[in-house]
Amino acid sequence: MYAERPAPAGLACLWTRTVSVPTVQRVVPDGCTDLMWSPASGSLVVAGPDTAAQMASVAAGTLYGVRLPPGAFPSVFGVPAHAVRDLRVPLAELVPSARLDSFSSMVDFCASRVVVDPALAATASLLRSGDVAAVAWEIGLSSRQLRRRCLDAFGYPPKVLQRVLRFDSALRLAWAGQPFASVALEAGYADQAHLAREVRSLAGVSLSQLIRP
């Protein structure tokens, strides 16, 4: 069972995942990063930004997570997001001084370090539907500067960030019950076939399989 609850300002959400037997679950890209704690093993792991679906082995018990919004990773962990792209890294490798032993200490750690940068939020918002070159011009950066900013903050070059954010928007619309043709139009795809290709490329399965209960 997976559940989310609101998080302090600057964080995306707090979540728990409880399973009674070991299982493998599909984790799809959403532009976010997570700090995860397993009381059973005592492990504290940072999940970097993904470029494609990952099949995660989940042990029996409860896994606790703090999710950071896109762009927040460097302020919390002190390294550029591209350094952990598609990786799962022990927290001790990134912040050796961290001493966390509870869910509340995880939340406090992230909330006390996160910095909300309106410029990064604006960049992500513009890239959801805008042309990369046009976005760079609008925010006053060269294409090379925009690429560097995106790699450091989000872990992706601009076009990949755009794909991931658009995919995440489409998935939320599909979960809400919208017809796939409407999902494609509202999320910014050329047509439903374009949506289908992108979902399979990023998630490894079709949209109908992805949202199946």
Side-chain angles (χ1 to χ4, degrees):
M1 181 179 68
Y2 175 80
E4 292 184 0
R5 59 187 176 91
L11 307 181
C13 72
L14 311 180
W15 58 267
T16 57
R17 187 182 300 278
T18 303
V19 296
S20 56
V21 296
T23 187
V24 175
Q25 297 183 332
R26 185 181 302 272
V27 179
V28 298
D30 60 3
C32 297
T33 51
D34 296 79
L35 174 59
M36 305 180 293
W37 174 52
S38 170
S41 64
S43 64
L44 280 157
V45 176
V46 175
D50 291 328
T51 58
Q54 296 210 22
M55 304 307 293
S57 297
V58 182
T62 299
L63 184 67
Y64 296 84
V66 178
R67 181 158 298 144
L68 307 180
F73 183 89
S75 66
V76 175
F77 299 107
V79 298
H82 65 77
V84 295
R85 184 173 55 224
D86 291 319
L87 298 177
R88 304 297 183 260
V89 181
L91 175 63
E93 292 187 14
L94 301 177
V95 190
S97 61
R99 298 290 184 268
L100 312 180
D101 58 5
S102 66
F103 194 20
S104 61
S105 66
M106 290 169 56
V107 177
D108 291 344
F109 170 82
C110 293
S112 66
R113 296 167 68 97
V114 70
V115 174
V116 178
D117 186 341
L120 292 178
T123 299
S125 179
L126 289 168
L127 281 171
R128 284 182 182 272
S129 57
D131 175 76
V132 171
V135 169
W137 181 87
E138 185 166 347
I139 61 180
L141 298 176
S142 68
S143 295
R144 181 174 296 180
Q145 289 171 323
L146 177 61
R147 176 181 173 82
R148 189 183 310 119
R149 172 182 287 187
C150 287
L151 284 171
D152 287 349
F154 304 103
Y156 311 114
K159 288 186 178 180
V160 176
L161 174 61
Q162 186 177 62
R163 290 181 67 206
V164 169
L165 294 177
R166 184 171 54 192
F167 165 74
D168 185 57
S169 295
L171 189 55
R172 292 175 186 274
L173 293 169
W175 271 113
Q178 286 206 31
F180 290 176
S182 297
V183 169
L185 179 64
E186 188 167 340
Y189 292 93
D191 51 32
Q192 191 172 337
H194 183 204
L195 167 66
R197 290 193 301 272
E198 283 289 273
V199 169
R200 189 167 289 279
S201 173
L202 290 168
V205 295
S206 69
L207 185 55
S208 58
Q209 290 175 289
L210 198 56
I211 67 172
R212 184 180 300 158

